[in-house]
C-alpha cells in the first residue's frame, strides 16, 4: 500500500483536500493519515520508499502512487 501522511496543523485545508482526492481516485491500497512524528509536512511512503514534500503536489504524488501501489509484500487488499 501507499500512504500519504501529513503533519497535523502543518498543512492547509487545500493540501489535505488534495491528498484525500488523490487517495479517493484509487479503489484500494492508497490511504491518507495524520502523523505527528514526521520530519516534513507531507510524506508519501511505500515499502522501503519515502518522498518528503512541503505541499501536496498532485503530479509527484500520483507518480509515487503509480510506481509503488500494489508492489509490496501484502497478501491482501488494503481498502481505502
Amino acid at each position: 500500500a501507499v500512504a500519504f501522511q501529513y503533519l497535523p496543523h502543518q498543512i492547509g485545508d487545500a493540501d489535505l483536500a488534495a491528498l484525500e482526492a488523490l487517495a479517493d481516485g484509487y479503489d484500494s491500497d492508497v490511504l491518507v493519515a495524520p502523523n505527528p512524528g514526521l520530519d516534513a509536512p507531507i510524506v508519501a511512503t511505500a515499502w522501503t520508499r519515502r518522498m518528503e514534500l512541503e505541499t501536496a503536489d498532485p503530479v509527484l504524488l500520483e507518480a509515487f502512487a503509480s510506481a509503488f501501489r500494489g508492489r509490496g509484500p501484502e497478501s491482501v487488499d488494503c481498502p481505502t
Side-chain angles (χ1 to χ4, degrees):
V2 170
F4 297 147
Q5 300 175 66
Y6 63 92
L7 274 170
H9 311 295
Q10 293 290 319
I11 67 168
D13 292 340
D15 280 334
L16 182 54
L19 294 174
E20 291 173 344
L22 283 166
D24 287 346
Y26 292 92
D27 59 352
S28 66
D29 300 327
V30 178
L31 60 100
V32 175
N35 183 340
L38 297 175
D39 295 329
I42 297 170
V43 179
T45 57
W47 285 98
T48 71
R49 305 292 183 185
R50 177 183 174 98
M51 179 176 64
E52 296 182 357
L53 299 169
E54 293 296 316
T55 61
D57 183 321
V59 173
L60 291 176
L61 291 165
E62 179 69 35
F64 187 92
S66 293
F68 302 114
R69 179 179 164 263
R71 291 185 171 80
E74 297 98 338
S75 59
V76 296
D77 285 337
C78 173
T80 56

